[in-house]
Amino acid sequence: MQIKLVSLEDGVTANGFRKIAAYIERMNPQTESFYVTTNTFRSLRTSIKGTSGSKGELGDHDIDEIAHGLTGADLVGFSSMTGYSELTRKIIGRVRELDPSTFILWGGIHPIIQPEDAITADVDAICTGEGEFAFQELYDRLQDGRNYRDLRNFWFKKGEADEVRNDFLPLMTAEAMESLPFPQYGTGETIFERGHGWRPMGLADYLNNDGLGYQTLWSIGCPFHCSFCGNTKFIANDPKYKKIRHPSARYVVDEVKKVRERFPHISQVSFNDDSF
């Protein structure tokens, strides 16, 4: 199966996307990862100006060029936060016009927090919970030609009036997290550059985004219930999200060592965990 995965955000940090991209690539080697950045990299300046996400400088010509690069796949999976939802919706619509038979899936934080909005895009499905094992089940059934519309962690639709809204899978255990591959980083990603189109992502992109650092996640979950945080939605979906889960310390040490084999300049690690 030919799979194309797309991350939309300012910059190329994309911790959650990189984790699931590595998992999907392990099960399906014909998987490619694409990065669309609205202002190239997130900064305090763009945050103050309100020019992140859908307010970034990507016009119709850019959207058309992006969509053309995503055609020819059996499945295209998008990942975005809410700030990038309108841009994601536009690209999804154009991909559908160019390649109507492609199975289009939208995951990431926006479909989890705002599923009622995400399902109105021209998608076949949205992922409403943790994606790794849910996608494995969907992939297996698509490969075998079996019915998939009862799979948990997904909403499905055929046309505007035929929606299926399924419940949630149990959250991953620490043991399950230990079994996941290390996040995809520096292994064949492609990035969209305005005026140049799609090109291979290189060392300069990582240096511009992170300097001498490496950003990752170790633990997931948070016991607090802050009104401004998306974790409140995750907890509403499953109260067990309050429990902090993580693989072993050895796992994350080996992850950093593996990255430094490819990028020896890395001298600082940032953990973007839900809770400290």
Side-chain angles (χ1 to χ4, degrees), residues 173-180 182 217-219 245-256 271:
T173 63
E175 292 74 20
M177 295 170 72
E178 188 86 15
S179 73
L180 300 178
F182 298 143
L217 293 170
W218 180 42
S219 68
R245 298 166 287 138
H246 56 78
S248 66
R250 171 50 53 192
Y251 175 95
V252 77
V253 168
D254 287 343
E255 173 190 333
V256 173
F271 293 98

Side-chain angles (χ1 to χ4, degrees), residues 91-113:
I91 297 173
I92 286 172
R94 186 61 179 134
V95 171
R96 178 69 75 198
E97 291 174 354
L98 295 171
D99 208 348
S101 64
T102 299
F103 189 98
I104 298 179
L105 170 65
W106 189 357
I109 293 178
H110 181 67
I112 297 175
I113 295 177

Side-chain angles (χ1 to χ4, degrees), residues 10 33 41 47 51 55 58 77 90 103 109 124 155 157 185-186 199 208 231 243 246 249 254 256 268 276:
D10 287 358
S33 296
F41 301 107
S47 298
T51 54
K55 295 184 179 179
L58 288 178
K90 290 176 182 178
F103 189 98
I109 293 178
D124 296 287
W155 288 9
K157 74 174 186 179
Y185 195 86
R199 61 168 177 79
N208 287 335
N231 283 346
K243 182 180 179 181
H246 56 78
D254 287 343
V256 173
Q268 176 263 330
F276 288 95

Side-chain angles (χ1 to χ4, degrees), residues 162-198:
D162 184 19
E163 293 182 9
V164 176
R165 302 183 175 191
N166 297 315
D167 206 347
F168 300 98
L169 286 169
L171 298 175
M172 281 190 289
T173 63
E175 292 74 20
M177 295 170 72
E178 188 86 15
S179 73
L180 300 178
F182 298 143
Q184 188 181 78
Y185 195 86
T187 54
E189 300 97 328
T190 299
I191 190 170
F192 180 79
E193 182 179 354
R194 292 192 69 205
H196 299 278
W198 292 107

Side-chain angles (χ1 to χ4, degrees), residues 66-109:
I66 289 167
H68 273 88
L70 301 176
T71 59
D74 301 297
L75 183 150
V76 180
F78 292 85
S79 175
S80 70
M81 298 182 185
T82 296
Y84 313 87
S85 60
E86 285 307 308
L87 176 61
T88 305
R89 182 186 297 273
K90 290 176 182 178
I91 297 173
I92 286 172
R94 186 61 179 134
V95 171
R96 178 69 75 198
E97 291 174 354
L98 295 171
D99 208 348
S101 64
T102 299
F103 189 98
I104 298 179
L105 170 65
W106 189 357
I109 293 178

Side-chain angles (χ1 to χ4, degrees), residues 15-26:
N15 293 135
F17 175 81
R18 291 181 178 280
K19 289 171 72 69
I20 194 167
Y23 185 82
I24 294 173
E25 184 181 36
R26 185 173 70 178

